[in-house]
Amino acid sequence: MQVLLLLLAAAGLCWGQYNPNTLPKRNSIVHLFEWRWQDIAEECERYLAPNGFGGVQVSPPNENIVITSPNRPWWERYQPISYKICSRSGNEQQFRDMVARCNKVGVRIYVDAVVNHMCGAAGGSGTHSTCGSYFNTGKEDFPAVPYSGWDFNDGKCHTGSGNIENYGDMYQVRDCRLTGLLDLALSKDYVRSKIAEYMNNLIDMGVAGFRIDAAKHMWPGDIKGFLDKLHNLNTQWFSEGTRPFIYQEVIDLGGEPITGSQYFENGRVTEFKYGAKLGTVLRKWDGEKMAYLKNWGEGWGFVPSDRALVFVDNHDNQRGHGAGGASILTFWDARLYKMAVGFMLAHPYGFTRVMSSFRWPRHFENGKAVTINADTTCGNDWVCEHRWRQIRNMVIFRNVVDGEPFSNWWDNGSNQVAFGRGSKGFIIFNNDNWSLNASLQTGLPAGTYCDIISGQKEGDFCTAVEVHVAADGMADFLIGNEEDDPFIAIHVDAKL
Ligand SMILES: *[C@@H]1O[C@H](CO)[C@@H](O)[C@H](O)[C@H]1NC(C)=O
Ligand SMILES: *[C@@H]1O[C@H](CO)[C@@H](O)[C@H](O)[C@H]1NC(C)=O
Ligand SMILES: *[C@@H]1O[C@H](CO)[C@@H](O)[C@H](O)[C@H]1NC(C)=O
């Protein structure tokens, strides 16, 4: 018996990196892209914890190059200068305060770790970095880490330009420079140790895990090299022996030698096919229909559910960077976007991340504050999709139906579909060009339920469409195709 328990404990340690370390019944995280640490701390307390969000992916917290032409683009934060916690989101003291305050209300922090590279080769020399640390890209000198010319991959890359030229060649993709970014020699134990030191500093402060930026551009074994050096999570917030959650940015849309599955040993991977395909279906491109979503998930060629981090859009592909292409839905296509996020949060596949964006086109003034309007939306051009009623209520839906099976699928052979989550929740979409009128098996106990899309239950009152479930679980649904939001979702916590 003891031997068995020991074996199970050992297995638990090995597999821990797939577990998001969220509190029970908190099953989604939100990416608060470019938010300041002080604003995130407040958002954890005033909004995320009360609405059941499990955690926040934050922008890279380490020192980066300052780019003034164009003026302070979002992507300067993907060009590290050192591992000091010092960025336009705030300083180390503010970061620590955020982590402690969010953990205190049960909301976890996940750091976007940019460790494949330093800044671009054309960055020059000087102290134009967010903390004023000196660097010289010509000499590959980053004394604030310190890294020197020995710590970069130049000798390993065999393209004329030194950059990745052909994504069909996995050696180029991993050993050459990604768009001119100085490529760290992760095969060196010294480099792995400096990265682990940075990540351990964050773990000791209380973060719950990491997004590994540009994982596709690193060898899986090199990533393992620094992950193996990581501490267990801080026992002030997590139980003894808890491993950091790891999700790796591997853009695999098929057709390349590098695949997501090559990275499973290290943790989960970002499943980019998910948002690209869901956008294609909801836009009805390529002859796609929602009826085809019946076998959504592995049936669509995605990685196994317990290895997937999924999202409708991310900070790259919502503005045409990275992968996915034109089909990606964003807040700019709000009606379809809400349906896509609703579908994602209702469906059991993968661990879900909600995107929260800003609206200004490209440039970013230093540390723009998040303001909250009287109607709970955000000001200052922050979009705050996570505060949209439909999205926030579906985050709660996912928590309510946690662990329940995918059930009672229905479709009309076209773009009207519905499915349940056992006896806890049910959702129905009309993305056809005509109204939906159907009587369906919901799997829910008899009663009157309040739709959480068109409104919500407030006390004993429903501000929305009411759905009457009969003793046999059947309910009638009517959804016009011109509705603001042509979908309805009900769950047992929204029963009147
Ligand atoms: C579903 O779409 C079909 C056409 O594919 C249509 O004939 C049918 O009326 C629709 N069903 C419902 C319930 O609206
Ligand atoms: C939807 O139906 C209306 C009315 O039948 C038609 O005018 C319109 O072109 C249709 N739109 C699409 C996208 O099929
Ligand atoms: C919906 O369908 C039912 C049964 O076919 C029918 O009695 C009812 O009138 C329909 N409702 C609408 C609004 O079309």
Side-chain angles (χ1 to χ4, degrees):
M1 190 59 190
Q2 259 177 352
V3 173
L4 180 64
L5 283 177
L6 273 177
L7 281 173
L8 287 173
L13 285 182
C14 295
W15 299 99
Q17 68 271 32
Y18 309 107
N19 183 338
N21 300 321
T22 48
L23 290 188
K25 301 281 177 190
R26 290 205 190 173
N27 295 317
S28 300
I29 63 173
V30 56
H31 181 193
L32 295 180
F33 180 44
E34 284 281 15
W35 282 43
R36 302 183 310 170
W37 310 145
Q38 59 194 90
D39 292 329
I40 294 175
E42 284 181 33
E43 191 72 351
C44 285
E45 294 167 345
R46 72 190 164 198
Y47 199 86
L48 300 178
N51 287 297
F53 285 81
V56 182
Q57 178 184 312
V58 301
S59 283
N62 62 298
E63 181 173 28
N64 62 264
I65 193 170
V66 168
I67 290 174
T68 49
S69 175
N71 186 30
R72 309 302 304 271
W74 63 271
W75 42 261
E76 72 169 40
R77 298 186 70 169
Y78 291 84
Q79 300 203 26
I81 295 297
S82 82
Y83 298 133
K84 293 180 188 165
I85 307 304
C86 186
S87 68
R88 63 177 159 214
S89 286
N91 60 30
E92 179 170 334
Q93 189 273 323
Q94 289 163 328
F95 186 87
R96 285 179 183 275
D97 180 61
M98 168 189 71
V99 174
R101 286 167 63 189
C102 291
N103 272 329
K104 198 167 177 187
V105 293
V107 178
R108 304 311 190 196
I109 298 295
Y110 305 88
V111 164
D112 194 347
V114 185
V115 297
N116 168 65
H117 53 260
M118 298 300 278
C119 70
S125 78
T127 55
H128 46 292
S129 48
T130 48
C131 231
S133 294
Y134 172 82
F135 63 95
N136 183 332
T137 59
K139 293 186 175 153
E140 297 182 328
D141 187 21
F142 295 88
V145 177
Y147 286 137
S148 68
W150 298 104
D151 301 319
F152 293 86
N153 261 338
D154 308 279
K156 265 176 120 179
C157 170
H158 302 296
T159 65
S161 64
N163 293 330
I164 299 165
E165 294 172 0
N166 173 12
Y167 274 77
D169 176 347
M170 69 165 83
Y171 294 91
Q172 284 188 26
V173 176
R174 273 119 172 207
D175 295 336
C176 295
R177 293 174 180 172
L178 168 62
T179 61
L181 298 163
L182 296 174
D183 202 51
L184 285 166
L186 285 147
S187 54
K188 288 188 60 178
D189 190 61
Y190 174 76
V191 175
R192 294 176 180 181
S193 296
K194 297 313 287 186
I195 291 170
E197 198 179 287
Y198 164 53
M199 295 171 78
N200 279 331
N201 184 28
L202 297 164
I203 287 172
D204 295 348
M205 290 181 201
V207 309
F210 300 91
R211 168 188 184 264
I212 308 294
D213 179 66
K216 178 179 185 171
H217 302 282
M218 298 182 264
W219 293 94
D222 287 343
I223 295 177
K224 186 172 187 306
F226 64 77
L227 293 182
D228 282 349
K229 296 177 189 286
L230 296 186
H231 298 166
N232 291 332
L233 298 188
N234 187 326
T235 53
Q236 188 181 350
W237 311 109
F238 303 92
S239 53
E240 194 93 33
T242 306
R243 295 302 293 163
F245 178 43
I246 299 296
Y247 54 106
Q248 303 160 94
E249 187 208 10
V250 182
I251 302 177
D252 169 14
L253 292 167
E256 289 177 18
I258 296 177
T259 64
S261 63
Q262 292 160 11
Y263 292 80
F264 289 170
E265 184 184 17
N266 298 328
R268 293 195 186 228
V269 296
T270 51
E271 179 48 277
F272 276 83
K273 297 186 189 99
Y274 192 102
K277 290 290 183 191
L278 195 52
T280 306
V281 171
L282 284 167
R283 292 181 192 276
K284 306 178 198 171
W285 287 358
D286 302 344
E288 295 285 8
K289 320 170 169 182
M290 286 191 86
Y292 299 157
L293 297 174
K294 185 174 183 177
N295 66 341
W296 186 243
E298 291 89 344
W300 280 63
F302 303 162
V303 300
S305 178
D306 60 2
R307 293 292 176 270
L309 185 293
V310 297
F311 47 93
V312 172
D313 60 330
N314 80 349
H315 70 281
D316 273 317
N317 64 20
Q318 71 170 195
R319 45 180 51 71
H321 289 249
S327 74
I328 297 296
L329 288 166
T330 70
F331 66 87
W332 295 109
D333 306 287
R335 193 168 185 263
L336 288 180
Y337 186 68
K338 285 179 276 185
M339 294 174 79
V341 177
F343 187 90
M344 172 181 83
L345 292 170
H347 197 281
Y349 178 85
F351 186 72
T352 46
R353 181 182 63 198
V354 170
M355 181 68 203
S356 189
S357 318
F358 55 76
R359 202 183 300 271
W360 53 95
R362 187 179 173 111
H363 305 151
F364 193 107
E365 293 309 319
N366 205 358
K368 197 163 172 169
V370 174
T371 55
I372 306 296
N373 302 322
D375 65 357
T376 79
T377 60
C378 295
N380 239 351
D381 277 336
W382 296 96
V383 182
C384 289
E385 296 93 315
H386 69 287
R387 281 176 168 255
W388 293 4
R389 180 189 66 239
Q390 300 85 347
I391 292 177
R392 178 242 297 142
N393 284 350
M394 285 306 300
V395 166
I396 295 170
F397 179 107
R398 190 172 191 79
N399 295 341
V400 172
V401 304
D402 181 42
E404 295 286 314
F406 178 75
S407 53
N408 291 309
W409 174 268
W410 168 84
D411 66 69
N412 72 337
S414 182
N415 291 289
Q416 301 180 356
V417 305
F419 62 93
R421 292 294 303 278
S423 58
K424 296 277 182 69
F426 192 76
I427 190 164
I428 173 164
F429 297 86
N430 179 14
N431 197 31
D432 266 333
N433 203 6
W434 55 86
S435 63
L436 177 159
N437 177 9
S439 183
L440 302 176
Q441 176 57 247
T442 63
L444 297 183
T448 300
Y449 293 79
C450 185
D451 174 29
I452 60 164
I453 303 302
S454 56
Q456 63 205 0
K457 185 182 163 205
E458 283 170 14
D460 292 333
F461 188 71
C462 178
T463 65
V465 170
E466 291 182 7
V467 176
H468 304 280
V469 175
D472 61 357
M474 298 295 287
D476 295 328
F477 294 92
L478 203 55
I479 307 178
N481 56 307
E482 313 255 270
E483 298 286 346
D484 287 346
D485 296 311
F487 64 118
I488 289 176
I490 52 178
H491 59 67
V492 290
D493 283 2
K495 190 168 177 235
L496 294 173

